Amino acid sequence: MSFKPKILGIACNWCTYTGADLAGTTRLHYPQNLRVVRVMCSSRINPSFIFRAFQLGADGVLVGGCHPGDCHYNTGNLYARRRLAVTKKILEFAGLEPGRFRVEWISASEGNKFAEVVEEFTAQIKELGPQQKLKIDELREKA
Amino acid sequence: MTDFKQIENNLKKEAKRLLEAGEVTVVLAYGRGYDEKHSMPFAAKTSADVEKLVFNEYCNFNMARYLMRYPCGTKIAIAAKAADSRAIVQLIQEEKVRREDLIILGIPAYGMKNQKTDEVVDSKTTCGLYNPPLYNILLGEEVHGQPVVSPYEVLAEYEAMDKEARWAFWKKEFDKCIRCYACRKACPMCYCDPCFIDQSKPRWADKAPQSPGNMMYHLTRFHHLAGRCIDCGECSRACPVDIPLYLFHKKVAKECEEMFGQAAGMKLEDKPVLVDFRVEDSDKILE
């Protein structure tokens, strides 16, 4: 059976989520492995969400936010940028493949970019294979 | 070498003076434990207590941890080595203590001895400083003229590791964890109440001392201390199963310094890096 990655997408309400909506309404095709969770701002994302997602079986995590400078709350994504950069470094030093976590700035008008990013990220995760490192044991046995 | 006897005498002298003059209500320093090697944190409240103060090469605790036990406005004198002084600066930045409430008795030292191994740990390899960055009174002579080593040198070996090997290394280390939370208790920067690990709604991590919960606890803790850890090494010293937590903290501190150009606890006017931002931060940091 071919590997169907589980990817968690955390999208900011104002840009990436609207961008995803646009990708949908313009009938763009992109892989269905992404499960999107909407948050009000990329700075709403607690780094623990990301660690926990990996533990609960995510093969990759994609975070989407507004372009820096375009944040609905003016500065949210600028905080998020620093915070998520640290998250990435931590996952990397712990030994997780750096390609499993990605942050992208996708605006509400970039439906195309959303589809492209999801396509690209899914292909990347497929190449990396199932994420077994952080996954909790009960889930690992089932797989 | 550092003259520990001289520092001890100065410490007693200053503590006595401050307590008798009523300038402070408590002097946070070191007292004798059950033997010379095991000195303890000690709070001197009267001039009679002052005689119980000691300072020797095993006094490696970070007393900044105890500052937050006193209500705001209590005048406190605190003995602080380089790392401890950085911790105090960081706490002042975070508005947990007020500068005007503190009299910092700075202690310059090349390094302290580790109780477990009896080795002198060069202070340059931990927090990177010999002299405290912030103090009111310096209890010894400033230390100069040692070869400069980077505090991050020890990381090279682990950074060069293959990611699978590094994962195996950390997995093995975190599997040892018995979740006693000594690291959290000893850390001068861990003051959240309640700590995320004690919360049950949401329950961030499994509470049993097993692999997934341990991993979650430690990774999140590293994240919470990112840009705040001042590398006193207290977490690793407190750890009963000898997990080298300081390595991970050091790595995160290094990355933060490289990305944001600021080390924790060096200047009073700085802001902790993760509660601050620059519009000109590069997106490259996310790659």
Side-chain angles (χ1 to χ4, degrees), chain A residues 100-133:
Chain A
R100 292 197 187 274
F101 175 55
R102 181 160 164 185
V103 182
E104 279 294 334
W105 310 129
I106 300 168
S107 84
S109 58
E110 290 175 326
N112 279 322
K113 185 178 175 189
F114 181 82
E116 276 164 31
V117 165
V118 175
E119 189 114 22
E120 203 184 302
F121 190 61
T122 312
Q124 194 181 337
I125 299 296
K126 273 190 178 152
E127 203 160 292
L128 285 168
Q131 187 273 121
Q132 295 290 7
K133 285 175 179 163

Side-chain angles (χ1 to χ4, degrees), chain B residues 167-187:
Chain B
W167 170 259
F169 169 75
W170 285 118
K171 177 98 169 60
K172 195 178 116 247
E173 291 297 337
F174 292 147
D175 276 353
K176 291 196 297 195
C177 179
I178 54 170
R179 298 285 275 284
C180 62
Y181 303 128
C183 43
R184 177 182 80 179
K185 204 81 193 159
C187 179

Side-chain angles (χ1 to χ4, degrees), chain A residues 46-49 51-52 55 68 75 78-79 81-98 103 105 133-134 136, chain B residues 158 163-164 166-167 170 204 206 212 215-216 219-220 222-223 226 248 251-252 255 259-260 273-279 281 283 285-287:
Chain A
N46 187 326
S48 302
F49 293 173
F51 300 143
R52 198 67 178 145
Q55 289 200 327
T75 54
L78 300 173
Y79 288 109
R81 175 161 63 184
R82 283 194 162 196
R83 197 177 302 149
L84 296 173
V86 172
T87 313
K88 191 159 175 97
K89 298 288 187 284
I90 287 176
L91 286 171
E92 211 173 313
F93 194 61
L96 196 79
E97 294 84 356
V103 182
W105 310 129
K133 285 175 179 163
L134 281 170
I136 57 175
Chain B
Y158 300 91
K163 62 179 183 306
E164 301 299 324
R166 205 160 53 213
W167 170 259
W170 285 118
W204 294 105
D206 305 324
M215 194 58 91
M216 186 75 188
L219 292 185
T220 310
F222 296 137
H223 207 300
F248 215 124
K251 170 70 179 173
V252 180
E255 292 292 349
M259 288 192 289
F260 314 127
V273 290
L274 288 191
V275 299
D276 196 13
F277 65 86
R278 301 266 177 285
V279 176
D281 278 341
D283 277 344
I285 57 177
L286 290 168
E287 277 160 17

Side-chain angles (χ1 to χ4, degrees), chain B residues 35-54:
Chain B
D35 66 4
E36 167 124 329
K37 244 177 150 175
H38 295 84
S39 39
M40 298 192 309
F42 183 71
K45 289 181 179 150
T46 60
S47 50
D49 284 345
V50 168
E51 283 315 303
K52 292 184 197 154
L53 293 176
V54 296

Side-chain angles (χ1 to χ4, degrees), chain B residues 238-251:
Chain B
C239 184
V241 289
D242 292 323
I243 302 173
L245 295 165
Y246 74 98
L247 277 175
F248 215 124
H249 283 304
K250 213 184 249 301
K251 170 70 179 173

Side-chain angles (χ1 to χ4, degrees), chain B residues 201-222:
Chain B
K201 260 184 186 177
R203 200 171 122 193
W204 294 105
D206 305 324
K207 303 227 166 109
Q210 286 162 357
S211 161
N214 290 358
M215 194 58 91
M216 186 75 188
Y217 167 62
H218 287 290
L219 292 185
T220 310
R221 198 169 158 273
F222 296 137

